[in-house]
Amino acid sequence: MNKINMDQTTIENQINEIAKTTNKTSEEIKKMVNANTEKYAGLLTEEAAIDLVKKELGILKEQNERLKISELSEGKKGIEIEGKIELIYPIKEFEKNGKKGKLQNFIISDNTGEIRGTLWNDQIEENKIKQGNEVVITNLIVTTYNDKNQISLGFGGKVKTIKENETEYKKSTELKAGMSNVNIFGKIIRKFPCTEFENSERKGKVCSFQLGDENAIIKASAWNDKATIIDNFSEGDIIEITNAYTKEGRFGTELHLGYTSEIKKSEKEINTINQTDTTQYLEKKLNQLNERDNVVVEGKIVKISTGKLAYLVCEKCNKKATKTENGVYCDKCGEISGKQNPVLSAIINDETNETQITMFGEQALEFIETNEEEFNKNLENKSTEEILEQISKNKINKTIKLKGYVKENKFLGANEIIVKEILKN
């Protein structure tokens, strides 16, 4: 008899033994075994499923042995460990063999090491874990994946919190390149336009911003789904960030928000340092511009670009709003009273190249040399063409010096400068 048949015979014998002990039929026991296998999306062995049935029927007593993480080895079960939840990964949904499920991975450590754990399906809600808490995990099962031990809960297994710890937040001045699991809170000082990218390895989205606390202002970047989340916050919002990491950037340590990071609005109060623009700008010629550069440039205005002079924004958060039959709607704030935000583009030229510059809000008003009230009156009483013609008469062949950052204008197929400050007008 080959090994497979012997294993099957052993399983049949176990099922028959359970049936005799419990006065249930073998078919009933098989159904219970299959139900446990399906519950774990086919990731449970038949032997483990049989053990779960035994525990459900009260014929397999729990004998949890407390071990250290370094003492865990594949195949051990009915044991428990004590440790601290170091990292929690986002919940992930999956489909296997036509069945949907979800899982949440986490890292737990003690004084001998750390190990990855997984909660499956209902276990996620039944065992709500929090980073930093000290816990005891009972009735766990040890398996291996890529030659590394990992743990999951057996039948009746629990994650019991024995000590709740407050999240420890770093100060901006404590950050150094190469750190992981960084928790920090601060105020969004400035947001930069989000950009999408694609290369031979991947495609995605990144949103960069400046985060300030009472000590410093640092550059931060949120990637992919975290970029979408940060894009819904506004300058001035106070946020809490967990599980971020740091890298060395062009101008010092930068904070990065990746797959495991979490972002939420904070109820904490914070006094930030003087909120001046601490970005380092480099004086450059127009033919030296690279995407994402912060630059100081000077050039002659050769053209005022055509197009809309304003767009509708939310009065509360200053994000783009939509006019509907029922009024003005903001995706973040709901129904609101909108306002017109000025926008104006121009082409400047130096002896090396020409580039489009784009100004929003106060910078556009400063360039036109008007105020918000006068600008809105002109929008009501004059056509866009009339206003642009007057601006051209006043500005063509004038020299402008400005601070700004370089981004790709996909419509133009070239870089443009988003004006941050006009130095000479």
Side-chain angles (χ1 to χ4, degrees):
M1 184 179 294
N2 60 36
K3 187 178 188 301
I4 294 176
N5 288 334
M6 285 180 64
D7 289 343
Q8 192 60 45
T9 300
T10 301
I11 289 168
E12 292 288 343
N13 288 340
Q14 288 191 58
I15 288 174
N16 291 333
E17 197 65 37
I18 296 171
K20 288 179 185 178
T21 306
T22 59
N23 293 321
K24 289 183 177 290
T25 67
S26 296
E27 286 302 314
E28 288 175 317
I29 301 302
K30 285 181 181 178
K31 286 181 180 179
M32 293 178 71
V33 171
N34 290 336
N36 279 325
T37 302
E38 291 179 3
K39 181 179 179 182
Y40 290 91
L43 299 171
L44 205 63
T45 65
E46 283 187 283
E47 182 184 1
I50 287 171
D51 282 347
L52 293 186
V53 170
K54 288 180 180 179
K55 291 169 186 175
E56 289 173 19
L57 297 174
I59 60 176
L60 184 64
K61 302 297 182 182
E62 295 286 351
Q63 294 181 340
N64 283 336
E65 178 187 4
R66 177 74 61 88
L67 295 179
K68 293 288 188 180
I69 288 175
S70 62
E71 297 173 322
L72 299 179
S73 59
E74 184 180 12
K76 288 207 170 189
K77 51 191 176 182
I79 54 179
E80 65 182 30
I81 60 172
E82 180 180 340
K84 181 180 179 181
I85 303 294
E86 299 287 354
L87 180 62
I88 300 173
Y89 293 84
I91 295 171
K92 183 179 180 181
E93 296 183 349
F94 65 91
E95 186 171 343
K96 184 173 182 178
N97 299 326
K99 296 186 180 295
K100 293 183 178 180
K102 57 184 179 179
L103 62 89
Q104 184 172 41
N105 291 315
F106 61 93
I107 303 294
I108 182 172
S109 71
D110 64 13
N111 59 359
T112 68
E114 64 178 29
I115 192 169
R116 178 188 291 255
T118 303
L119 298 176
W120 299 91
N121 301 319
D122 294 342
Q123 294 175 350
I124 297 171
E125 287 299 317
E126 293 169 358
N127 302 273
K128 291 185 176 179
I129 53 178
K130 179 185 174 185
Q131 184 179 357
N133 280 358
E134 295 174 31
V135 301
V136 170
I137 303 180
T138 62
N139 198 29
L140 58 82
I141 298 171
V142 184
T143 56
T144 60
Y145 181 74
N146 287 339
D147 296 325
K148 289 186 177 182
N149 287 337
Q150 58 183 15
I151 59 172
S152 58
L153 300 185
F155 178 76
K158 297 287 183 185
V159 181
K160 301 176 182 177
T161 299
I162 56 176
K163 183 180 179 182
E164 290 193 10
N165 292 322
E166 289 292 324
T167 303
E168 296 179 5
Y169 292 98
K170 293 283 187 185
K171 296 178 180 178
S172 59
T173 49
E174 295 176 323
L175 300 185
K176 297 179 180 178
M179 297 175 70
S180 59
N181 304 340
V182 174
N183 305 324
I184 190 170
F185 75 94
K187 182 180 289 186
I188 299 176
I189 304 300
R190 178 183 172 193
K191 291 177 64 181
F192 301 93
C194 297
T195 58
E196 296 183 356
F197 62 89
E198 184 172 1
N199 54 41
S200 59
E201 297 179 352
R202 60 184 180 132
K203 62 179 181 179
K205 178 180 178 182
V206 59
C207 294
S208 295
F209 60 101
Q210 289 179 332
L211 186 74
D213 61 13
E214 66 273 13
N215 299 291
I217 296 174
I218 59 171
K219 182 183 177 184
S221 295
W223 298 87
N224 301 319
D225 59 327
K226 301 307 182 290
T228 301
I229 294 172
I230 206 71
D231 198 27
N232 289 323
F233 287 100
S234 301
E235 293 180 355
D237 285 346
I238 298 174
I239 58 174
E240 296 179 34
I241 298 170
T242 55
N243 294 335
Y245 62 96
T246 59
K247 294 176 70 174
E248 188 66 31
R250 284 194 301 166
F251 304 116
T253 303
E254 297 179 355
L255 187 73
H256 290 261
L257 286 61
Y259 170 67
T260 63
S261 305
E262 298 290 339
I263 315 159
K264 66 178 182 179
K265 194 164 186 177
S266 178
E267 300 301 322
K268 300 176 184 290
E269 294 185 0
I270 187 169
N271 294 316
T272 59
I273 65 169
N274 184 22
Q275 294 173 13
T276 56
D277 186 1
T278 61
T279 305
Q280 295 186 38
Y281 293 88
L282 301 177
E283 290 206 28
K284 287 195 172 187
K285 295 294 184 180
L286 296 181
N287 67 343
Q288 298 173 321
L289 303 182
N290 296 307
E291 189 177 0
R292 302 181 71 81
D293 277 351
N294 295 298
V295 296
V296 174
V297 298
E298 185 171 358
K300 183 184 291 186
I301 301 162
V302 296
K303 181 182 178 182
I304 301 298
S305 303
T306 58
K308 289 184 177 180
L309 283 167
Y311 60 98
L312 194 61
V313 297
C314 173
E315 283 189 330
K316 294 180 180 178
C317 69
N318 220 38
K319 283 188 172 292
K320 195 171 183 178
T322 305
K323 193 170 185 178
T324 67
E325 294 180 357
N326 300 319
V328 179
Y329 183 81
C330 169
D331 288 339
K332 180 179 179 182
C333 304
E335 291 186 11
I336 46 92
S337 296
K339 66 176 183 178
Q340 294 293 329
N341 193 47
V343 58
L344 183 66
S345 294
I347 305 296
I348 64 170
N349 181 285
D350 64 10
E351 67 272 19
T352 68
N353 204 352
E354 65 177 33
T355 301
Q356 177 168 288
I357 63 171
T358 299
M359 297 153 283
F360 297 91
E362 293 180 3
Q363 282 72 39
L365 293 176
E366 183 179 350
F367 179 82
I368 300 169
E369 299 180 73
T370 188
N371 56 44
E372 187 173 2
E373 183 179 356
E374 190 65 30
F375 177 78
N376 288 329
K377 282 182 181 179
N378 283 335
L379 287 180
E380 292 176 6
N381 300 322
K382 297 180 181 180
S383 69
T384 299
E385 291 74 17
E386 288 176 313
I387 299 173
L388 288 172
E389 184 179 356
Q390 186 60 51
I391 295 172
S392 294
K393 287 180 180 179
N394 294 336
K395 293 296 177 181
I396 294 297
N397 292 324
K398 295 282 183 71
T399 298
I400 183 172
K401 187 174 183 179
L402 59 90
K403 281 183 181 180
Y405 53 94
V406 182
K407 68 181 288 289
E408 181 189 9
N409 184 314
K410 293 183 179 179
F411 178 76
L412 294 176
N415 286 333
E416 69 174 337
I417 301 173
I418 306 299
V419 178
K420 175 65 178 174
E421 181 182 351
I422 296 174
L423 302 175
K424 183 172 74 175
N425 188 17

